[in-house]
């Protein structure tokens, strides 16, 4: 299936890696682009039904292919960064020690500055640091899954 997702080849490759990882974690059943299109159609049908039933909902009433791709990639990343129990149970979602988080804070102080030159304390940003470390872990897992997939072809 060729669908215009308004994304460059490297972005499409990463998207496919995200879908493969999501399947590995049990978040989706079909990691293919056809599976993405099927999920988009189903989601749009659900939105249409909600609108016809006059149910209150927020957000778009219809997702184009590029919009749904971005929606799903964001949702999958958030599912990993703020993991549910099911995602944690896969063993793929890392836990970080206080020392790892403090080391990140000390090595990246420039990320935690304010306008007048002072800095947020570690305690104020510890949760943000953990999420940032999970984002990095997520990106690495996607690359690992892609390598496994491409080597297996």
């Amino acid at each position: 299936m060729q669908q215009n997702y308004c994304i460059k080849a490297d972005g499409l490759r990463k998207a496919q890696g995200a879908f493969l990882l999501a399947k590995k974690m049990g978040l989706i059943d079909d990691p293919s682009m056809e599976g993405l299109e099927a999920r988009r159609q189903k989601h749009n049908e659900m939105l249409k039904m909600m609108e016809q039933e006059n149910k209150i909902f927020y957000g778009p009433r219809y997702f184009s292919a590029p919009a749904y791709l971005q929606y799903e990639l964001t949702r999958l990343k958030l599912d990993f960064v703020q993991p549910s129990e099911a995602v944690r149970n896969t063993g793929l979602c890392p836990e970080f020690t206080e020392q790892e988080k403090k080391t990140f804070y000390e090595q990246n102080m420039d990320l935690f500055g304010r306008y007048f030159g002072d800095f947020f304390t570690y305690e104020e940003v510890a949760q943000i640091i953990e999420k940032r470390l999970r984002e990095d872990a997520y990106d690495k897992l996607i690359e690992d899954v892609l390598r496994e997939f491409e080597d297996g072809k």
Side-chain angles (χ1 to χ4, degrees), residues 35-99:
L36 173 68
E37 182 59 21
R39 291 188 299 277
R40 180 177 82 89
Q41 294 296 332
K42 183 178 178 183
H43 192 82
N44 280 337
E45 282 299 315
M46 180 191 68
L47 293 173
K48 187 177 178 180
M49 282 185 10
M50 289 173 66
E51 189 171 20
Q52 289 172 347
E53 295 171 0
N54 292 323
K55 290 187 178 178
I56 295 175
F57 64 95
Y58 300 95
R61 297 189 180 319
Y62 173 84
F63 280 91
S64 64
Y68 190 77
L69 172 65
Q70 292 307 313
Y71 165 78
E72 193 158 281
L73 290 174
T74 300
R75 183 183 61 81
L76 293 172
K77 189 170 197 171
L78 285 173
D79 285 348
F80 188 85
V81 171
Q82 297 177 316
S84 64
E85 197 61 36
V87 171
R88 285 185 192 277
N89 289 340
T90 65
L92 296 171
C93 189
E95 294 295 327
F96 299 100
T97 65
E98 282 299 310
Q99 188 55 49

Side-chain angles (χ1 to χ4, degrees), residues 16-21 24 140-150:
Q16 290 170 329
F19 299 144
L20 290 167
L21 180 59
K24 196 173 188 177
K140 288 176 186 161
L141 278 171
I142 287 174
E143 286 302 318
D144 290 347
V145 166
L146 281 170
R147 270 192 296 282
E148 287 173 19
F149 179 75
E150 292 166 351

Side-chain angles (χ1 to χ4, degrees), residues 101-120:
K101 291 187 280 187
K102 285 181 181 176
T103 299
F104 181 87
Y105 176 75
E106 291 164 4
Q107 292 175 347
N108 297 282
M109 286 293 292
D110 57 314
L111 297 176
F112 307 109
R114 298 182 213 203
Y115 181 74
F116 291 108
D118 61 328
F119 293 91
F120 289 98

